[in-house]
Amino acid sequence: MGKYILMLSLLLLSPISFYSNAEAPTVEQPTAPQMSPEKQKLLGLPVYIRIIKEDKTLELFVKNQGGYKLVQSYPVCNYSGGLGPKRIQGDFKSPEGFYQVTMKSLNPNSKFYRSFNIGYPNQYDQAHGFTGKHLMVHGDCVSEGCYAMTNKQIAEIYQFIEYALINGQPEVDVNIFPFRMTEENMQRYSHNVHYEFWQQLKTGYDFFEKNRLPPTMVVNNGRYDLAPQGLLASNHTQDQRNPFAH
């Protein structure tokens, strides 16, 4: 009888012992970005994002004292599909082209920590019948067509974009290029199937390199073109005061 009572006691206690010793699942809680005082002073100023696929680099520019100046280059943790534009939903390819981020694009509660939707498909993509949705720049270093950053990186990038939008920038340009579009690189890829498309992207790339202002692009007959100069001037006229600087 005593043996049965002992066995029953062990059975009853075993689950309690098991759960009390089991480790609770841990969830990574990314820390807020430790931004330098110099960067903090730039929060709220207009922002421009440029991604270079071949370099796996995201560049953050801020408009300060005239033109846009490079604040930080971040290594892209991951992207999908190699060089060339995204065309079909499910092709696991990361887009190239000219996109915009608005306040509605921001997701502070993303399952990838922070994310912003780049706005694919844009007018050009739609004109060519390209399909896809929910193309983001986000954290967690995992990509199935998006541009993935580390959580620490996306926290800082996200904050710059959010503050710029709060301060009145209507949209943040996100320009995505396959490579740095120098004449040498264009020659290197001159036989690529995407070369004609890349020539259109180069127009915007060169505009920024020359003027240090994001290009305003329009779509004419299914092609990217620079907008008329009058529209460019009005698009880039903005109050440069920064209420967030300390």
Side-chain angles (χ1 to χ4, degrees), residues 27-91:
V27 178
E28 180 187 0
Q29 295 296 333
T31 56
Q34 299 299 311
M35 198 176 289
S36 67
E38 290 76 16
K39 285 183 178 178
Q40 290 180 15
K41 292 177 182 178
L42 300 175
L43 288 174
L45 295 176
V47 169
Y48 168 60
I49 302 291
R50 184 169 72 174
I51 296 175
I52 309 294
K53 270 186 173 180
E54 187 174 60
D55 294 355
K56 294 188 75 172
T57 300
L58 183 151
E59 298 173 327
L60 171 70
F61 296 85
V62 168
K63 190 176 185 182
N64 193 19
Q65 299 177 349
Y68 281 76
K69 299 179 180 179
L70 181 65
V71 173
Q72 183 76 46
S73 291
Y74 305 88
V76 174
C77 194
N78 212 344
Y79 74 89
S80 302
L83 304 187
K86 180 177 181 63
R87 291 178 170 174
I88 302 171
Q89 170 74 20
D91 63 3

Side-chain angles (χ1 to χ4, degrees), residues 44 103 106 159-170 243-244:
M103 191 64 75
L106 305 183
Q159 191 170 20
F160 267 99
I161 292 175
E162 183 178 39
Y163 272 59
L165 293 171
I166 290 173
N167 194 32
Q169 185 174 357
F244 298 106

Side-chain angles (χ1 to χ4, degrees), residues 192-209:
N192 191 285
V193 65
H194 303 301
Y195 183 72
E196 194 276 335
F197 170 68
W198 288 342
Q199 285 182 308
Q200 299 172 48
L201 300 189
K202 180 172 167 57
T203 304
Y205 182 93
D206 289 346
F207 181 89
F208 180 79
E209 288 296 297

Side-chain angles (χ1 to χ4, degrees), residues 95-137:
E96 295 172 7
F98 302 97
Y99 300 93
Q100 287 80 37
V101 172
T102 66
M103 191 64 75
K104 292 182 179 180
S105 309
L106 305 183
N107 184 2
N109 301 309
S110 170
K111 65 179 181 179
F112 301 108
Y113 179 48
R114 296 281 189 276
S115 68
F116 55 88
N117 191 317
I118 66 170
Y120 177 95
N122 64 13
Q123 185 181 354
Y124 175 92
D125 303 321
Q126 293 176 43
H128 289 268
F130 296 168
T131 58
K133 57 183 178 180
H134 308 313
L135 275 299
M136 312 277 180
V137 177

Side-chain angles (χ1 to χ4, degrees), residues 133-161:
K133 57 183 178 180
H134 308 313
L135 275 299
M136 312 277 180
V137 177
H138 59 63
D140 269 6
C141 271
V142 179
S143 172
E144 294 183 354
C146 298
Y147 291 93
M149 316 297 293
T150 67
N151 289 345
K152 182 177 179 180
Q153 291 168 345
I154 194 64
E156 183 166 283
I157 298 163
Y158 186 100
Q159 191 170 20
F160 267 99
I161 292 175

